[in-house]
Structure formats: structure tokens, C-alpha cells
């Protein structure tokens, strides 16, 4: 049963990703990206990372994409449907895509990760208590640094979006 | 049962599609969305490895990645808005002052 769900959500995520790349309209591209993020949250659930699935929906599909849509509609960028991508852009992008895919598949074939069974110890990734415990013991310093980073980002955004006086 | 390799295949395909989009599209906002896609693909790989390896490290790393990505989106979009205010465009082909 989980196999069926995996294939459904993996296909949905990949279709959404292709929608982001190839849609002419930026708003529909953002909608496709929301679909991709939701399918990926479902994949996280299949991997028993329930907390991260919730975070994914709240932060990515919620906050980040709302910000994106807000900016897209605020800027109101004119449609550039007339401008077709040149043959060089197509070739360069496809070569980049091919190199990445070849590299990843070569590595995964060399390392042989095929028949590895999931070995998650009980009550680790799944339980929120274990998550919080790790976060406030082993990873206390990264946690503090992340909080400081958010503060810096907030100040930076305020400074950046302030109206610049041109003398 | 889904094997680890299948998750890695999905993750690498998502990453490669995001990379393709970054190279292919001209609109800064779409490029930025493709960057988010690449970050998320890496998150999926990390969670899959964490699940099949049996530790919490990957999950916690993804938690930090999501936090940093949220901060990065806020700053990046502020830069795009400031750029649009100054230049009235978000097409990367027209933003070429540094070229000359």
C-alpha cells in the first residue's frame, strides 16, 4: 500500500517540478511549486518524519509560497510569452541536466544502496519529544545560531526594503 | 517496500529539474523558485538517508535547512523587490551592468 502512495506522490512532485520550469505564467508556476511541496510532505510522512512533514506544509507550502505569490502579484511582471528560449539555452540546460543525472546515477550505482532495509531506531525520527531533546542538547549551539540568523535576516529585509532616498 | 535507491532517484530528479530551470528560465522569480526546489530535493535525500541509516542527524539537519531557507527567501525576495524598484525589470538578460 505504501508503495502505491510512494509512486503517486513521487509522480505528483516531479510533475509539479516540471510545471514550475515550463509554465509561461509565473503564478501558475508558483501553484505547481505548492503542489510539489505538498507531495514532498507526503513523501516525508512515508519516511516517518511526521514533524518535518508538518513543518514542510506550514513553512514552505504556507509561509514561503505566500510570500512568493505576494511578490509576484506585487511586481505584476509583464508576460514574456513572445520571447522563446534560444537553441543555445536549450542545449546548455539539457547538458547541465544530463551531467547532474549521470553523476548521481553513477555514484548510486557505485555505492550500492539497493537492498538496505529501513533501520530507524524506535521513538527517534517519529517522536517530537526526541526531536526537541536532540535540539536542546546535542544541537544547542546550531539552534542558537539559527535564531540569531533569523534576527539578522529580519533586520536585513527591513533595511533592504526601506525606501532609498536618491539625492 | 520502497528501497532507499528509489527515494534517491526521485530526489536527484527533482534536483536536476530545479537545476535545469535555473539554467533555462530568464525570470528571476522563477529562477528563485527553482532554487527552492533544489533545496527541497536535498531535504528529501537527507530524510531518506536518515530513515534508512537509523539516526536523527538527517532529520535535524533538514530542520535547520528549512529555517535557513525561510530566512533566505525573505532576504532574496527583498533584493528582487529593490532591484525591480530601481530597474523596472526582473529579466536576468536585462540586468547586465557588471558586464561592461
Amino acid at each position: 500500500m505504501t508503495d502505491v502512495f510512494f509512486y503517486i506522490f513521487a509522480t505528483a512532485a516531479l510533475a509539479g517540478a516540471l510545471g514550475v520550469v515550463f509554465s509561461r505564467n509565473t503564478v501558475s508556476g508558483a501553484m505547481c511549486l505548492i503542489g510539489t511541496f505538498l507531495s514532498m510532505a507526503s513523501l516525508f510522512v512515508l519516511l516517518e518524519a511526521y514533524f518535518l512533514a508538518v513543518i514542510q506544509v506550514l513553512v514552505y507550502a504556507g509561509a514561503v509560497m505566500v510570500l512568493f505569490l505576494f511578490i509576484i502579484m506585487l511586481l505584476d511582471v509583464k508576460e514574456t510569452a513572445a520571447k522563446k528560449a534560444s537553441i543555445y539555452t536549450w542545449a546548455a540546460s539539457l547538458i547541465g541536466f544530463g551531467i547532474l543525472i549521470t553523476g548521481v546515477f553513477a555514484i548510486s550505482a557505485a555505492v550500492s544502496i539497493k537492498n538496505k532495509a529501513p533501520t530507524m531506531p524506535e521513538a527517534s525520527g517519529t517522536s517530537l519529544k526526541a526531536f526537541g531533546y536532540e535540539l536542546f542538547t546535542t544541537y544547542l549551539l546550531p539552534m542558537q545560531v539559527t535564531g540569531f540568523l533569523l534576527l539578522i535576516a529580519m533586520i536585513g529585509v527591513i533595511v533592504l526594503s526601506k525606501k532609498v532616498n536618491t539625492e | 517496500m520502497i528501497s532507499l535507491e528509489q527515494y534517491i532517484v526521485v530526489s536527484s530528479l527533482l534536483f536536476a529539474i530545479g537545476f535545469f530551470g535555473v539554467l533555462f528560465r530568464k525570470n528571476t522569480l522563477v529562477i528563485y523558485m527553482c532554487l527552492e526546489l533544489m533545496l527541497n530535493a536535498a531535504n528529501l535525500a537527507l530524510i531518506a538517508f536518515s530513515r534508512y541509516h537509523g539516526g536523527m542527524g538527517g532529520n535535524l539537519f533538514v530542520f535547520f535547512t528549512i529555517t535557513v531557507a525561510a530566512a533566505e527567501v525573505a532576504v532574496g525576495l527583498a533584493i528582487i523587490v529593490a532591484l525591480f524598484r530601481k530597474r523596472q525589470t526582473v529579466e536576468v538578460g536585462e540586468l547586465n551592468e557588471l558586464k561592461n
Side-chain angles (χ1 to χ4, degrees):
Chain A
M1 196 62 200
T2 51
D3 293 24
V4 179
F5 280 124
F6 171 80
Y7 288 118
I8 290 171
F9 290 125
T11 316
L14 290 171
L18 288 173
V20 175
V21 176
F22 289 111
S23 70
R24 288 266 159 230
N25 190 352
T26 320
V27 175
S28 47
M31 290 300 173
C32 288
L33 194 57
I34 293 177
T36 304
F37 284 161
L38 289 177
S39 326
M40 289 183 78
S42 319
L43 289 180
F44 290 1
V45 169
L46 291 182
L47 285 166
E48 295 180 20
Y50 304 116
F51 176 62
L52 288 172
V54 173
I55 290 289
Q56 171 89 358
V57 172
L58 282 180
V59 175
Y60 262 116
V64 167
M65 289 319 292
V66 165
L67 200 60
F68 258 110
L69 282 170
F70 187 73
I71 298 296
I72 288 168
M73 290 175 181
L74 184 76
L75 296 187
D76 191 25
V77 183
K78 286 168 285 304
E79 289 291 310
T80 51
K83 210 190 286 177
K84 284 270 181 192
S86 71
I87 187 82
Y88 296 112
T89 315
W90 266 106
S93 312
L94 280 175
I95 288 170
F97 181 84
I99 288 173
L100 251 182
I101 286 292
T102 318
V104 170
F105 279 77
I107 290 170
S108 71
V111 179
S112 96
I113 48 177
K114 284 187 184 63
N115 299 316
K116 209 166 184 313
T119 53
M120 184 64 100
E122 67 284 350
S124 59
T126 59
S127 103
L128 198 53
K129 192 177 168 187
F131 214 96
Y133 181 79
E134 286 280 317
L135 217 51
F136 283 99
T137 52
T138 322
Y139 297 93
L140 184 58
L141 182 65
M143 178 83 177
Q144 298 288 331
V145 172
T146 313
F148 196 64
L149 179 80
L150 284 175
L151 176 69
I152 295 170
M154 196 176 75
I155 295 170
V157 168
I158 291 169
V159 171
L160 275 173
S161 45
K162 216 171 60 179
K163 199 84 180 169
V164 185
N165 290 325
T166 46
E167 303 100 58
Chain B
M1 193 66 208
I2 300 296
S3 70
L4 174 57
E5 202 186 28
Q6 280 163 298
Y7 280 105
I8 301 306
V9 166
V10 171
S11 162
S12 58
L13 276 175
L14 279 170
F15 189 91
I17 290 171
F19 186 65
F20 179 81
V22 169
L23 293 176
F24 183 64
R25 293 301 298 260
K26 296 287 193 320
N27 190 328
T28 319
L29 286 162
V30 179
I31 290 176
Y32 213 60
M33 285 199 280
C34 290
L35 279 177
E36 291 305 310
L37 193 61
M38 288 165 79
L39 270 172
N40 248 283
N43 282 354
L44 181 62
L46 275 170
I47 293 183
F49 277 129
S50 173
R51 170 86 174 88
Y52 283 80
H53 182 259
M56 283 222 53
N59 278 15
L60 283 152
F61 198 84
V62 169
F63 177 78
F64 288 120
T65 315
I66 289 176
T67 321
V68 173
E72 175 236 330
V73 164
V75 175
L77 285 175
I79 290 174
I80 290 176
V81 169
L83 199 63
F84 185 79
R85 234 187 240 156
K86 209 167 166 57
R87 299 290 316 275
Q88 305 297 317
T89 182
V90 290
E91 300 286 308
V92 281
E94 297 171 33
L95 303 169
N96 53 4
E97 274 93 55
L98 291 176
K99 214 172 176 180
N100 305 315

